[in-house]
Amino acid sequence: MPGASGDVTSRAATQTDPSMPPMKVFSVPRPTPPARSNQDMARDFIDLSLRLESGRELKVLSRFEGPISVKVVGAPPPTLLPDLNRLLHRLRTEASIDISLINGPSANITIEAVPRSEIRRHLPQAACFVVPNISRLSQYRAAKRSRLTNWSALTTRRKIAIFVPSDAAPQEVRDCLHEELAQAIGPLNDLYRLPDSVFNDDNVHTVLTGFDMLMLRAFYAPELQSGMSRREVSARLPAILARLNPNGEYVAPRRTSTTPRAWVRAIQTALGPGAGPMQRRTAAQSALHVAETVGWTDHRRGFSHYALGRLTQNTDPDFAQNHFAAADAYYRRSPGTALHRAHAAAQLASYAIAHGRGDVALTLLAPQLPVAEKHENAALLASLMMLRAEALELTGRVAEARTVRLDSLGWARYGYGADWAVRAKLREIGALNPLKGTNG
């Protein structure tokens, strides 16, 4: 369930400001093909598809058999249908799944757009969620404790409901569509060890990646079917992956270690809802301690440093800066982490701007703008552009800064939603600039 952004508001408060440029949207997707060994990806497939997030193993593979129909009900925001159509097109062309949008009275998958408050009334920690064997949110309360909505009881999927917010920023709604629809039709688990997937609760990736599409294509390979056991699926996977991803046959396996539950619990406490500031910081320090003890040098070690940096940047910016730099160092040595580095660069550039080092910030930001655009993260792209504008001002390039800042607003309207939220982000980043008074 993608994390909720604080910079969103209701539909009533998102009226267009005529002084704002039009919202920008992404056009042609550019997913990166997976570069890992097929042996590693076979293990990933089994752990994603035959295990729940709780760690409980599933006895059999469950999926839809035959064409999959999707319909939208409720109060969808204007961007939902265009984004859904783009996603369905990708699933058809990249994952070879027979899935389409219909207007009929019933469908295999019903996407209901409801106010955020309704979602949180049922699941306080969720931005969006997916449930089997129902079609409307009004049915959920009565069904949620029954076997009807138990994923582990499924053999064949026939009816699933997805609940997304109708009053969130366009990017958050799109992110929900990608993650929840992928889980509605495919794997149910998330794995922190995956650096290049939306099937990862770190929420770094927000749209389906090349790895995700390969997993979904394998999930619907004709060699598999609902009701197969783990052993039966495992026996057929090598040939499936060799056919779908021949390049993976020539990559040496790396066998990334499993993620201890202690680290998962610490990260969830540090970054999830419900904990106080000190509890969050303590949890982040615990996660880093686990990462150090296990001896990780991959993206999970980087993410441990990044989380601690985020939780301390307002109270101890120098301490946080050291952890952002450490995060970037580990990301740099770990494959598939370009987007992770873009997030770290935003924090490092913010620190440089606050200390008047515009040239340093420009160097940090330059390679990250195309990364954010390639991965279709408008909120990150807008923030990077706003930071670039402040860095340009610090180096005396005021006219160029004004152009970049204006250009950022179209992306910010998609990424942050309400015009007031866009202006709040502008003020937040502008406050970093020491030329504008007390920095943030």
Side-chain angles (χ1 to χ4, degrees):
M1 296 172 288
S5 167
D7 293 335
V8 296
T9 187
S10 67
R11 296 179 74 191
T14 58
Q15 299 302 313
T16 301
D17 182 339
S19 68
M20 285 274 191
M23 179 187 296
K24 293 186 178 182
V25 296
F26 297 100
S27 53
V28 180
R30 294 179 292 159
T32 302
R36 298 203 294 287
S37 159
N38 279 346
Q39 290 186 41
D40 290 336
M41 287 191 283
R43 175 191 173 215
D44 295 337
F45 183 94
I46 292 296
D47 286 348
L48 285 170
S49 305
L50 288 159
R51 194 185 303 271
L52 297 174
E53 289 187 50
S54 63
R56 180 180 179 183
E57 289 192 2
L58 296 170
K59 293 181 180 180
V60 298
L61 179 78
S62 72
R63 69 179 193 182
F64 287 99
E65 299 295 341
I68 304 170
S69 56
V70 181
K71 73 171 184 176
V72 176
V73 299
T79 56
L80 187 150
L81 284 172
D83 281 337
L84 176 59
N85 278 318
R86 291 184 72 240
L87 173 56
L88 296 179
H89 177 74
R90 287 193 61 196
L91 290 170
R92 287 191 294 268
T93 57
E94 296 176 42
S96 300
I97 295 174
D98 187 355
I99 187 169
S100 58
L101 188 65
I102 66 169
N103 292 318
S106 63
N108 298 121
I109 298 173
T110 301
I111 299 172
E112 184 175 10
V114 298
R116 182 196 302 272
S117 59
E118 283 297 298
I119 290 176
R120 291 185 171 171
R121 186 165 65 89
H122 293 279
L123 285 179
Q125 298 181 6
C128 43
F129 64 104
V130 55
V131 184
N133 293 324
I134 64 172
S135 56
R136 300 301 291 260
L137 189 59
S138 58
Q139 301 167 345
Y140 177 65
R141 186 176 296 276
K144 68 178 180 179
R145 290 185 175 87
S146 71
R147 184 174 174 81
L148 186 70
T149 57
N150 188 342
W151 288 102
S152 62
L154 289 182
T155 299
T156 302
R157 304 184 197 182
R158 294 184 173 86
K159 181 169 67 172
I160 289 179
I162 296 172
F163 307 112
V164 301
S166 59
D167 49 2
Q171 179 166 313
E172 184 178 340
V173 177
R174 180 210 62 188
D175 296 352
C176 282
L177 290 174
H178 276 248
E179 180 163 357
E180 305 306 336
L181 187 55
Q183 292 199 316
I185 64 175
L188 298 169
N189 195 11
D190 286 317
L191 297 171
Y192 277 104
R193 72 171 185 256
L194 302 177
D196 55 350
S197 175
V198 301
F199 298 111
N200 186 328
D201 279 333
D202 64 11
N203 292 333
V204 172
H205 288 276
T206 56
V207 299
L208 291 170
T209 66
F211 170 87
D212 299 329
M213 288 297 182
L214 177 60
M215 290 293 102
L216 289 168
R217 193 174 179 191
F219 203 87
Y220 283 87
E223 298 93 327
L224 300 180
Q225 62 186 30
S226 295
M228 280 187 168
S229 67
R230 174 183 292 260
R231 178 177 297 179
E232 290 173 319
V233 174
S234 297
R236 300 191 184 193
L237 263 182
I240 293 171
L241 290 172
R243 174 171 61 81
L244 299 180
N245 186 50
N247 290 338
E249 294 293 289
Y250 304 100
V251 180
R254 299 185 70 210
R255 188 70 183 180
T256 304
S257 64
T258 57
T259 306
R261 295 301 299 176
W263 186 87
V264 173
R265 287 193 297 269
I267 286 293
Q268 288 174 340
T269 300
L271 302 180
M278 286 306 300
Q279 187 180 5
R280 290 179 186 276
R281 178 166 177 166
T282 300
Q285 290 170 327
S286 296
L288 180 56
H289 176 70
V290 171
E292 292 169 341
T293 302
V294 173
W296 283 337
T297 58
D298 62 12
H299 61 284
R300 291 170 293 183
R301 177 68 177 271
F303 191 66
S304 303
H305 285 286
Y306 183 82
L308 186 54
R310 286 300 303 267
L311 292 169
T312 57
Q313 61 186 347
N314 291 330
T315 56
D316 194 343
D318 293 336
F319 177 85
Q321 167 75 2
N322 290 334
H323 283 282
F324 289 134
D328 184 63
Y330 283 105
Y331 289 152
R332 190 184 310 121
R333 299 199 295 266
S334 185
T337 57
L339 188 56
H340 298 69
R341 293 198 68 194
H343 282 281
Q347 303 300 330
L348 294 169
S350 297
Y351 185 88
I353 290 168
H355 288 77
R357 298 198 291 270
D359 54 339
V360 173
L362 289 173
T363 300
L364 288 165
L365 294 167
Q368 308 309 333
L369 295 170
V371 172
E373 185 170 3
K374 175 181 172 63
H375 290 88
E376 300 189 29
N377 192 324
L380 176 61
L381 178 58
S383 294
L384 292 171
M385 294 175 74
M386 292 176 187
L387 288 166
R388 176 172 166 78
E390 300 304 326
L392 287 168
E393 282 197 357
L394 286 172
T395 56
R397 297 153 67 179
V398 177
E400 188 177 351
R402 189 178 302 115
T403 300
V404 171
R405 187 178 293 111
L406 180 63
D407 199 31
S408 75
L409 299 182
W411 293 116
R413 294 187 66 194
Y414 185 86
Y416 294 106
D419 290 342
W420 67 262
V422 173
R423 297 189 185 282
K425 179 57 66 174
L426 274 174
R427 289 193 299 271
E428 175 190 330
I429 292 178
L432 295 168
N433 191 334
L435 297 180
K436 296 180 178 180
T438 304
N439 69 49

